[in-house]
Amino acid sequence: MKPEQLLFAKTHEWVHVAPDASGAKIATVGISAFALEALTDLVYIELPKVGREVKAGEPFGEIESVKAVSDLYSPVDGAVVAVHDALANELESLAADPYENGWIVKIKLSDETALADLLDYPAYQKQCAEEEH
Amino acid sequence: MAIALRQTPLSDWHASHGGRMVDFAGWSMPVQYRSIVVEHTATRTSAGLFDISHMGRLRFDGAGAPAFLDALVTRRVADQKIGAVRYALVTNDQGGILDDVLVYHLTDAGGGSYWLLVVNASNRAKIVDWIEPRLAAATDVAMLDVTVDWAMIAVQGPQALALVQPLVDVPIDRLKYYHATEARIAGHGGVVSRTGYTGEDGCELILGARAVEEVWQSLVDAGATPAGLGARDTLRLEAGMPLYGHELTESIDPLAAGLDFAVDLEGRSFPGRDPIAARAKDAARPRRVGLRLAGKRVPREGFAIVADGRAIGEVTSGTFSPSLEAPIAMGYVERAFAAPGTELSIDIRGRAEPAQVVALPFYRRQKKGLPA
């Protein structure tokens, strides 16, 4: 997956929406390369359980580095249908492949209105450039 | 209005070599270059290189200097021999800690004796303000703040002395731990001390602001790994060393902080001496302890330490220890809970995580020549 194909939350999560076999819309969610570059030295990720209901803008997990902890915010409304549990043992390589093997959860959308608040890649890059100054 | 950060003589080097520059006590300092863990591990296994030019350096001259400094700090320094370095505290009239400092007694090429006080960057102005009215009342002692004229770097780790030796004209391995001497460093005048803040062997170099970049680059070229404040913090935490503003504040006395070794009460007079002597008899006062956690979630400053369903203390520093591969913390707890082995918990964002009191330091380096 290339970042140009993704949507981004202001809180640095990426989203890719695609229909599953039944036609239900599934959002795959991860953390942007920019955020991972800023975090460095990851030591722990807390993941939700399958079935958990999530709301856009509310935390569904946390990621901890040597220096600080950050909440992971859901960019969409829905229910968690898959969790990338293996990530807990692969945190060192997360930054190397954030948009493919770096997926964190898949969320079955219950409502699509939150998608309108997400940024496309150029808009997200602009936000990141502003944060660096 | 933005207030410009102070630059060390190495700030440009850091920024142009990937240093992530942050505001630390008003100075632009690198928190890390790439990875804190890489910089930490390089220091434990080889040599880390730290810019500590932001620390305050105050020089004292005059026959009255020993008595003046002895009346300023918690530790007896009047008897300190030339070449010795002592860790001490500056306390206020209530016995609260104003700063933790290193006191150097040195001699220059002409044989004249002088003293250096190395203070925390965050406390430099406060300490100068504390000292100045006392100086006015003292005789035959002068203070000069040489912080910006001189740079200071730390080279720490098992390879540190071997990397520094070719640059200095004194046999550095003959310098004892916590000793210092003037030396030529790459041909420039300076001071070498066998001191540090990482728990490793190594040294700290004080040298002219205009000479430091050349020496820094020589050490990088020789294989030292530049390391930022992030690694400096994880290293000192593993070594059980307190940090001002965290373990040490004006509301904490040296004995609660476990720094008894740096307090000489007998036959001495310094600000806060009597309150500290009185507190020494208070068996209930809190103690600084080390805590090790079994899980992966990391305790941070300000988190409550809990026992029997109530807060019995507070975390002052916490991190994920790269050497132990476990979360560790320091904090203050009520005396009854301070014994190593005591099982406590830490409230990490609403969830109680088990934590055990452990003896400090968390990490102790293997000393050469001694059986393991």
Side-chain angles (χ1 to χ4, degrees):
Chain A
M1 209 85 71
K2 290 189 163 55
E4 291 80 1
Q5 299 168 265
L6 307 173
L7 296 171
F8 291 83
K10 291 189 175 75
T11 48
H12 303 290
E13 294 81 11
W14 60 259
V15 184
H16 183 257
V17 181
D20 68 4
S22 71
K25 286 202 172 165
I26 305 295
T28 303
V29 176
I31 309 170
S32 77
F34 176 87
L36 291 168
E37 163 76 17
L39 286 170
T40 77
D41 302 301
L42 300 176
V43 297
Y44 172 72
I45 187 165
E46 182 160 283
L47 298 165
K49 298 239 185 316
V50 168
R52 171 147 164 203
E53 301 277 334
V54 294
K55 271 193 143 64
E58 291 187 2
F60 69 84
E62 60 186 33
I63 190 159
E64 186 122 33
S65 73
V66 167
K67 269 210 91 62
V69 66
S70 308
D71 280 320
L72 300 171
Y73 294 96
S74 179
V76 295
D77 299 310
V80 175
V81 292
V83 177
H84 192 178
D85 289 309
L87 266 191
N89 300 315
E90 297 170 3
L91 287 174
E92 283 169 17
S93 57
L94 183 55
D97 187 12
Y99 301 126
E100 203 70 52
N101 193 49
W103 72 274
I104 295 173
V105 290
K106 294 180 190 287
I107 297 166
K108 185 175 180 177
L109 298 187
S110 60
D111 187 313
E112 294 181 30
T113 48
L115 294 175
D117 295 332
L118 301 175
L119 308 171
D120 63 13
Y121 189 54
Y124 175 66
Q125 281 183 301
K126 186 160 173 274
Q127 178 197 307
C128 293
E130 282 162 7
E131 277 188 29
E132 281 193 320
H133 294 288
Chain B
M1 188 185 82
I3 294 171
L5 292 179
R6 290 168 183 266
Q7 307 280 315
T8 82
L10 291 165
S11 289
D12 288 344
W13 193 97
H14 304 316
S16 64
H17 290 79
R20 296 187 184 187
M21 307 306 283
V22 299
D23 175 356
F24 182 82
W27 294 79
S28 177
M29 300 297 294
V31 66
Q32 66 200 85
Y33 299 85
R34 282 192 295 278
S35 155
I36 293 171
V37 172
V38 167
E39 293 162 21
H40 177 108
T41 306
T43 307
R44 289 272 180 256
T45 59
S46 180
L49 184 59
F50 303 80
D51 180 10
I52 52 172
S53 302
H54 60 306
M55 298 194 75
R57 289 167 291 281
L58 309 175
R59 176 178 168 141
F60 294 84
D61 283 279
F68 180 79
L69 290 169
D70 201 85
L72 185 75
V73 301
T74 53
R75 196 165 191 182
R76 184 175 287 110
V77 295
D79 62 345
Q80 190 171 322
K81 291 193 172 65
I82 285 172
V85 179
R86 283 184 186 163
Y87 177 85
L89 301 148
V90 179
T91 43
N92 63 22
D93 292 327
Q94 293 74 45
I97 300 170
L98 291 168
D99 199 12
D100 62 336
V101 301
L102 287 187
V103 183
Y104 294 56
H105 189 192
L106 292 161
T107 182
D108 61 27
S113 149
Y114 67 98
W115 300 70
L116 275 182
L117 201 63
V118 175
V119 306
N120 280 292
S122 54
N123 291 331
R124 176 175 147 220
K126 178 176 77 176
I127 291 300
V128 168
D129 287 350
W130 180 253
I131 288 173
E132 274 178 344
R134 291 174 162 74
L135 269 178
T139 52
D140 205 6
V141 54
M143 178 181 76
L144 195 60
D145 185 340
V146 296
T147 305
V148 296
D149 304 318
W150 295 87
M152 190 167 183
I153 62 180
V155 196
Q156 301 280 295
Q159 295 301 316
L161 298 189
L163 293 182
V164 172
Q165 183 62 76
L167 298 173
V168 299
D169 67 346
V170 294
I172 195 169
D173 58 347
R174 276 197 240 151
L175 199 60
K176 283 186 272 179
Y177 189 57
Y178 265 74
H179 280 71
T181 180
E182 282 205 352
R184 305 297 294 180
I185 305 170
H188 308 282
V191 173
V192 181
S193 63
R194 191 92 173 253
T195 50
Y197 193 49
T198 61
E200 296 299 329
D201 195 2
C203 60
E204 293 173 320
L205 308 176
I206 301 175
L207 70 167
R210 276 179 288 186
V212 69
E213 186 170 335
E214 169 198 342
V215 170
W216 176 276
Q217 188 64 55
S218 297
L219 289 164
V220 173
D221 294 343
T225 299
L229 295 175
R232 189 166 161 82
D233 194 49
T234 53
L235 289 159
R236 70 92 194 167
L237 234 167
E238 285 184 354
M241 295 170 166
L243 173 61
Y244 198 87
H246 299 263
E247 285 71 41
L248 311 180
T249 71
E250 288 181 34
S251 56
I252 290 167
D253 72 83
L255 304 182
L259 301 174
D260 311 48
F261 76 94
V263 180
D264 295 315
L265 294 171
E266 291 311 311
R268 300 191 61 239
S269 174
F270 58 85
R273 188 242 167 241
D274 292 346
I276 292 170
R279 297 213 65 189
K281 301 188 182 89
D282 173 8
R285 69 188 194 279
R287 281 297 280 193
R288 178 166 65 98
V289 296
L291 296 156
R292 183 170 174 163
L293 288 82
K296 282 278 183 82
R297 300 175 83 221
V298 182
R300 308 287 181 183
E301 182 177 11
F303 290 6
I305 304 168
V306 177
D308 306 337
R310 69 186 178 89
I312 53 94
E314 195 174 292
V315 172
T316 48
S317 297
T319 194
F320 187 86
S321 160
S323 303
L324 278 61
E325 297 190 329
I328 57 171
M330 288 196 279
Y332 285 85
V333 298
E334 293 175 13
R335 197 47 164 261
F337 300 95
T342 307
E343 298 289 347
L344 304 171
S345 64
I346 299 177
D347 182 345
I348 300 187
R349 294 181 300 282
R351 286 214 312 267
E353 301 285 351
Q356 188 184 60
V357 177
V358 295
L360 293 171
F362 296 100
Y363 164 91
R364 201 186 291 273
R365 76 187 157 92
Q366 303 271 319
K367 289 193 179 152
K368 273 184 262 178
L370 295 173

